[in-house]
Amino acid sequence: MIAVKKIDSVVIGAGAAGMAAAEVIAQAGCSVALVDREEQTGGILLQCIHNGFGLHHFGRELTGPEYADEFSERVRAFPVEIFLETTVVNIVPHPGFSRVITCSALHGVTVFEATTIVLAMGCRERNRGTIGIPGTRPSGVFTAGLAQRLLNIEGYIPGRRAVIIGSGDIGLIMARRLTWVGSEVAAVVEILPHPSGLTRNIVQCLQDFSIPLLLSHAVTQIYGKDRVEGVEVAPLENGVPVAEKARIVACDTVLLSVGLIPENELSCTAGVTISPNTGGPVVDHRLQTSAAGIFACGNVLHVHDLVDFVTEEAQRCGGHVVDYLRNKIPAAASVAVEAGANIKYVTPNQCAAGTAQHFYLRPLVIREKAKLAVMQGQTPVFSRNLSHVRPAEMISIDLDNKIMGGLELDRPLTFSIR
Amino acid sequence: MNQSPFDVAIIGAGVCGAAIARTLSAYRLRVVLLEKEADVAFGVSKANSGIIHAGFHHPATSLKAKLEIQGNLMFEKLYYELGFPFKRVGVLVVAFSEEEMKTAAHLFSQGEENGVADLELCGAERVRALEPKVNRDAVGGLYAPGGGIIEPYRFVFALVECAIANGCVLSTGFDVSAVRRQREYFILAARSGRSVAARYAVNAAGLHADAVSAMFGAEQFTIIPRKGEEYLLDRGAEAFPNHVLFPVPAKKSKGILVIPTVEGTTMVGPTAVEVEDREDVSTSASNLKAVFAHAKHLMPSVSRRDIITSFAGMRPALATGDFYIAVSKKVPRLVQVAGIQSPGLTASPAIGEYVKELLKSCGCSLTEKPHFNPMLPKITTLRDCSPEAMEQIIAHNPQYGNIICRCETVSEAQIVEAIRKGHVTLDGIKFYTRAGMGRCQGGFCTYKILKILARETGKKMTEFTKRGGESVIVKETLSAALPRTRGAPP
């Protein structure tokens, strides 16, 4: 017999986002199940053994596992039912609730009939296939996160001389980590003219160890029959690799840190609409997706720069879930949100006139002394001067009740950077 | 000599060697299947497009056409017995001009002459009705409902598994490097020092069939490696067609296709480029562009954004363009199976029968085994199961409840099953179970599979490879690399 559990909320994923949302929901007295496929709560934070987490949220510097532990303890202090080593295989929406179908070796199949769902599955790494690096297919090509897992949790050194493709934060952290275990990092190769990761990681992980960062360069070929033997690196001119200037860098390992993709295959089974700009669900001002009662927060919604902001967003999301469960959703007139000049995306995709709203946005450009403007058509709504903007860093904006109260209903709210 | 002599040694465990081994395993023969790679299907067969061709591409006079048609008709029975993924979805050749329509009409009559059933010559409207997402510029084409798709490596695994269950001996990592004769036996020596003796030999060595023939002192011929690059698109890609889509064929190949794989991904390719180096299975940026340009012409919704991986494989072609399957005229009791390029996969079951007859013709005595079992137990997967069915499967074996590969929904139980059947490389497990074949390409499951491998085999994590040889995954343990405690005596 399949166990069926009626519950107020199922939170899918027990990483930073899921734990923070589950805590808020449980704190309000609602019944909540926290489901994760791994053996422990904490998600990807557990393999991030470096420090730098928690400066915004806790006002002190923690390692990933320490940050995760804070929340693991808090969810255990509330009556949150935690289901580990449990995989959600399907979500079937019904009017007023959804069936969340899970399986595990321990419990077999469990079906939750949940009034609400919080999607908090995080993201996955783009890989060699997604970016299409030509060449042979030897062993020794890892995504940076897989290499991090193998090294920090399993205790294995992926290789002795690495080239890192992409200057995303995980790649930068892994450049330093490999150096610390005595492996050599021949180069970090970035196709853009600027680094993709945070400035502090460029300084602390590359410059402090004299690891070369090759900007505007591409790895154009991977060599090696059984194991990686080298890569071809070429400078880019006008975005195109210059074959005559290519050189071969010998290495036994290639790590890829070329971006993250919100993992929404499960969301799609529930019929949730995905935004092409974020790769995450389209959400309203309460972080509710296009499917009623299904909410999203954290990296499954959009890829964040810092975990502290994941926590903030997830706590807000938990609050909205509680409001929904208590039928306290005030009827608010909705205003569309749009990314304008030099902005990759703004989330949420809708806001409510008259309700204070928090926005996250990602710039497309690098600027010193930029101006962020929020407009409705030609009408300025809000503006702020920024000392600098970087694609690697999210911008966080709060618009208060008063500003939001002045919005017109039929025109989108457009964010831009000049 | 490591073992008592065999009746038949088959060199090469690709789809031909596997089909021959399974056919012979129904008879009272001691058969050994020798494979130089770490697992079966790791050579040419691994990169096969997985198409069961309909039988209109080659003229009736060729051995290719004869065996293709025979082979095609054998797949329902094989599917029933062995349960590998197979669907007869039909193939559609799409023409874009009156000139191309003429070629389609030629293929139509060639197919009719070959005896292909239910062929249709189509106008533009019929093509669009069959394949609504095809390029609107299509003027017509040829439809063959008898074409189909399979998972090529799973087919090879199933054939070999069935052969082994019926007494065939498989020896992987056996790279035949020398052949000598001792009385009525061939002594086949491997690079590793192992050797086997067999009365009859079958050369199904794919890309290396010419070198193997030379080792026997048999016919001289040259295998011309022709490389093909393929691109795999994610499950749910908009471009997923209803049928296998062909352009009107080029001279040396069947052109760039859009293939709905039997597991729900979309494959585009292959290129066809003659190369010098038989081991050179690298992909290139220029071919990626060419493949997508051609594929988009057939099906405009083919998008590079949906790519999850790419790979290249080799076709072992002969200058004649036909298969070469015959008893050697120079070396009695050696059967040559060479030049098996497309439609080799389709023809393979018929090749098995054909080779059996050739062996018989040179004196090999064939007595049916009374207890030959053609069936394999069905492989259990959770994907596409109802919750009730899942609950039953997990109640029976809780390891099914532990999902290891999230992208393809592969359970721990399936990984364990693959390992127990001898697939102990990451690629072997991937081809057997699909773990690591999905959109994350092993990013999340690799370490889990390595841990299961270590637990099941008792070996160290540092010993496991991607596909044998030097392709180790992790090089050292962290503890071994750490400096000794400071201050400790030297």
Side-chain angles (χ1 to χ4, degrees), chain B residues 165-378:
Chain B
N166 288 292
C168 172
V169 174
L170 169 69
S171 201
T172 52
F174 195 111
D175 186 359
V176 176
S177 60
V179 179
R180 61 193 169 82
R181 264 180 273 186
Q182 199 173 65
R183 296 192 305 277
E184 74 274 36
Y185 290 106
F186 296 113
I187 312 293
L188 309 176
R191 226 170 282 279
S192 61
R194 289 184 286 168
S195 67
V196 297
R199 198 184 297 262
Y200 296 88
V202 178
N203 173 14
L207 279 174
H208 307 280
D210 49 0
V212 168
S213 183
M215 282 178 214
F216 277 89
E219 285 77 2
Q220 280 191 8
F221 54 87
T222 306
I223 297 289
I224 305 157
R226 194 181 299 143
K227 184 153 86 173
E229 293 180 30
E230 305 257 24
Y231 295 83
L232 198 64
L233 312 185
D234 201 357
R235 228 175 252 295
E238 205 196 323
F240 188 80
N242 298 330
H243 309 87
V244 180
L245 296 189
F246 286 77
V248 165
K251 256 197 190 128
K252 285 221 164 174
S253 79
K254 297 183 172 79
I256 304 288
L257 323 183
V258 182
I259 306 162
T261 76
V262 73
E263 291 283 3
T265 48
T266 304
M267 189 145 75
V268 294
T271 54
V273 184
E274 279 176 15
V275 291
E276 297 278 315
D277 181 359
R278 297 172 188 207
E279 309 278 331
D280 172 24
V281 284
S282 61
T283 51
S284 72
S286 55
N287 285 337
L288 166 80
K289 269 188 198 155
V291 166
F292 274 79
H294 282 106
K296 263 180 160 334
H297 183 55
L298 273 179
M299 186 83 131
S301 50
V302 167
S303 167
R304 284 170 67 163
R305 267 198 320 229
D306 292 322
I307 300 180
I308 52 178
T309 189
S310 58
F311 56 90
M314 294 288 185
R315 305 169 183 85
L318 285 172
T320 60
D322 205 355
F323 295 161
Y324 166 43
I325 309 175
V327 179
S328 167
K329 291 200 173 75
K330 293 173 82 175
V331 178
R333 303 191 316 279
L334 168 67
V335 177
Q336 305 273 26
V337 183
I340 314 298
Q341 52 164 328
S342 177
L345 180 74
T346 312
S348 60
I351 292 174
E353 291 295 323
Y354 193 74
V355 169
K356 180 190 86 182
E357 294 302 324
L358 291 176
L359 284 168
K360 198 170 155 189
S361 76
C362 54
C364 182
S365 112
L366 298 170
T367 313
E368 282 183 25
K369 270 182 199 157
H371 302 299
F372 171 71
N373 180 5
M375 307 292 288
L376 280 184
K378 209 177 167 315

Side-chain angles (χ1 to χ4, degrees), chain A residues 109 135 139 155 157 226-227 263, chain B residues 283 391 406 470 472 476 478:
Chain A
V109 176
S139 73
I157 297 173
D226 287 348
R227 175 84 191 189
E263 183 135 279
Chain B
T283 51
E391 172 71 8
R406 59 176 74 173
E470 303 299 311
V472 291
E476 289 167 50
L478 186 56

Side-chain angles (χ1 to χ4, degrees), chain A residues 52 75 93 122 124-125 157 181 208 218 227 305 313 352 362 370 411:
Chain A
V75 287
R124 67 168 177 270
E125 298 176 278
I157 297 173
V181 297
D208 287 359
R227 175 84 191 189
D305 55 351
E313 183 178 87
R362 281 267 186 185
R411 287 202 294 180

Side-chain angles (χ1 to χ4, degrees), chain A residues 37-38 104-105 109 124 127 129 134-135 137 139 142 149 154-157 160 225-227 263 265, chain B residues 279 282-283 308-310 391 398 401 406 439-440 447 451 461 466-467 470-473 475-476 478 481:
Chain A
R37 45 188 144 212
E38 298 301 325
S104 75
V109 176
R124 67 168 177 270
N127 54 51
R137 308 191 60 74
S139 73
F142 303 88
R149 167 87 202 195
E154 309 304 333
Y156 292 93
I157 297 173
R160 279 312 190 185
K225 185 175 171 284
D226 287 348
R227 175 84 191 189
E263 183 135 279
E265 282 65 30
Chain B
E279 309 278 331
S282 61
T283 51
I308 52 178
T309 189
S310 58
E391 172 71 8
R406 59 176 74 173
R439 58 186 73 86
C440 93
Y447 73 88
K451 283 164 90 169
M461 295 263 275
K466 179 168 158 61
R467 53 164 175 268
E470 303 299 311
S471 65
V472 291
I473 312 295
K475 291 216 148 176
E476 289 167 50
L478 186 56

Side-chain angles (χ1 to χ4, degrees), chain B residues 81-215:
Chain B
E81 292 169 346
L82 303 175
F84 51 88
F86 163 68
K87 273 184 198 159
R88 215 176 266 284
V89 291
V91 306
L92 184 63
V93 179
V94 186
F96 287 97
S97 65
E98 283 314 307
E99 202 54 37
E100 289 195 349
M101 250 339 259
K102 278 184 203 154
T103 314
H106 165 72
L107 293 175
F108 176 75
S109 28
Q110 186 164 279
E112 297 238 294
E113 207 173 306
N114 291 355
V116 181
D118 301 327
L119 277 181
E120 282 180 37
L121 208 50
C122 310
E125 206 175 327
R126 176 68 173 148
V127 165
R128 270 204 284 279
L130 287 166
E131 201 62 59
K133 288 182 282 188
V134 81
N135 187 339
R136 307 292 285 180
D137 294 342
V139 298
L142 171 65
Y143 173 50
I149 44 175
I150 67 170
E151 271 208 325
Y153 26 83
R154 283 281 298 279
F155 179 49
V156 178
F157 288 167
L159 288 167
V160 173
E161 216 170 280
C162 180
I164 291 173
N166 288 292
C168 172
V169 174
L170 169 69
S171 201
T172 52
F174 195 111
D175 186 359
V176 176
S177 60
V179 179
R180 61 193 169 82
R181 264 180 273 186
Q182 199 173 65
R183 296 192 305 277
E184 74 274 36
Y185 290 106
F186 296 113
I187 312 293
L188 309 176
R191 226 170 282 279
S192 61
R194 289 184 286 168
S195 67
V196 297
R199 198 184 297 262
Y200 296 88
V202 178
N203 173 14
L207 279 174
H208 307 280
D210 49 0
V212 168
S213 183
M215 282 178 214

Side-chain angles (χ1 to χ4, degrees), chain A residues 49-51 151-152 157 160 173-185 204-205 208-209 211, chain B residues 478 481-483:
Chain A
I49 61 171
H50 53 282
N51 57 0
L151 189 48
N152 291 350
I157 297 173
R160 279 312 190 185
I173 295 288
M174 283 310 291
R176 178 175 66 183
R177 185 75 183 103
L178 284 172
T179 310
W180 278 342
V181 297
S183 294
E184 188 188 346
V185 178
Q204 294 171 10
C205 299
D208 287 359
F209 297 90
I211 296 169
Chain B
L478 186 56
L482 291 175

